[in-house]
Each structure stands twice: as structure tokens, then as C-alpha cells.
Amino acid sequence: MGKREEIVTAAVEVFGRYGFRQTSMDLVAQAAGVSRPALYQYFRNKQDVFAAVAEQVTGRLVAAAHRARDAEGTLADRVYGVLAVRLDATAGLAEPRYRQELVEQAQAMGLSPVDEQLVYVLAQLLADTAEPLETASALLAAASGIGGSGGGPDTVHRRLRRLVDLVVAGLATER
């Protein structure tokens, strides 16, 4: 891994811990183990660092969603796998109080939203159903709600699995 990638990886944790507003170039440099002038050799400002973080995180999540989509198992297993990627990312990447701020910052900067890409991965799984994009969008929105519903990881995963099982069973009866 090159120095730029090391900085971005360190910055993921910094933005997740402090949010966008409270993150400074000093904090990023310290976390990456580089001097502030060295950091500026790779990035012009905090927005550039954040854009690189968003790109890295999006790439990792979309790749994981593709692996879940292509895994062995039932349709419900694979849909659950894609949605679990989103659920786990939401819980693991940022402190709860900063999640919305980070999403809003990414939107304000016009960065590609990961949810939009995950909808297409889900829609590929649901291609043989009526309105696959609409169903995928609804499932992703519901998974986001489950993620914010409280309870520990086991609870939210159990709720997500129940939702997926109900939806997939309902889709089977549509045919």
C-alpha cells in the first residue's frame, strides 16, 4: 500500500470518530503518522481527503456487495448478504452522532452515494421480479431503518433477516 492509501485508510477512522466538521488536517496527519506538510503533498485540503475516503469506502462496500450477490445460497441469502454489507458498514464506519453529517457532506460535495450503487446490485438479484429497482430501493431504505432502530448487532441482523425472508417469500407468491 502506498503512502496516499495509508493516509486515506487512517482518515477513514478519523472522520468516523470526529465527523467532518471536527476533523482537521492535523488529526489526519497524526493518525497517518505523517507531518502536516507531508499530508499536503498528497491532498490540497480536508475536502480532498474526505473525497478519497468516500471513494475508498464506497469501493470496499460495493465490492463486498458484489461478493454477497454472487455467493452461493438462496435468493434470500444473497439479498440478506448485500443488505448486511450496508448494515454493518453503517454501524462500523462512524460514530452514530456523525453518520448523518458525513452523509450530508458527501451529498453536498456531489460524491457518488454508496446506496445508489447498492440498489443496482440488489436490483440485479431481483431482475426476475416485478419492479426490481423499486423493490431494491425499498429494501435498502428498510435496512437503513433497521440499522437505526436500536439494539445490538444480533438484534438488527435478526430483524434484517426477517425482513428479507418476508419480502422474498412475498416475491415468490407474485409469480
Side-chain angles (χ1 to χ4, degrees):
M1 178 177 349
K3 183 53 76 177
R4 184 178 193 283
E5 291 79 22
E6 290 175 17
I7 293 168
V8 173
T9 299
V12 170
E13 186 177 324
V14 175
F15 282 110
R17 185 180 314 143
Y18 298 103
F20 182 81
R21 287 184 211 101
Q22 292 182 29
T23 292
S24 66
M25 293 295 272
D26 286 330
L27 285 171
V28 173
Q30 184 178 24
V34 298
S35 68
R36 190 170 174 185
L39 179 61
Y40 281 106
Q41 291 178 357
Y42 296 95
F43 299 97
R44 290 178 302 158
N45 54 37
K46 179 170 71 169
Q47 288 79 4
D48 283 355
V49 177
F50 185 75
V53 164
E55 183 180 326
Q56 183 187 87
V57 169
T58 297
R60 287 192 309 204
L61 294 176
V62 171
H66 281 277
R67 286 191 300 276
R69 178 199 64 199
D70 298 338
E72 296 293 323
T74 66
L75 176 61
D77 292 339
R78 295 182 299 145
V79 169
Y80 171 80
V82 171
L83 292 171
V85 164
R86 170 62 167 79
L87 189 70
D88 292 341
T90 300
L93 284 176
E95 296 284 328
R97 64 180 176 241
Y98 297 122
R99 289 179 191 152
Q100 189 60 36
E101 175 192 336
L102 294 171
V103 168
E104 289 171 2
Q105 182 64 37
Q107 290 171 339
M109 291 174 63
L111 301 175
S112 176
V114 69
D115 284 355
E116 186 177 297
Q117 294 181 48
L118 294 180
V119 163
Y120 287 108
V121 174
L122 281 169
Q124 292 169 343
L125 277 172
L126 303 169
D128 294 335
T129 66
E131 301 185 61
L133 275 174
E134 188 61 31
T135 304
S137 294
L139 277 167
L140 196 61
S144 295
I146 288 170
S149 68
D154 292 341
T155 301
V156 295
H157 277 275
R158 188 177 61 253
R159 290 174 183 159
L160 178 62
R161 186 63 208 215
R162 180 71 176 138
L163 170 71
V164 169
D165 289 345
L166 289 168
V167 170
V168 170
L171 291 172
T173 62
E174 281 184 355
R175 294 179 188 167

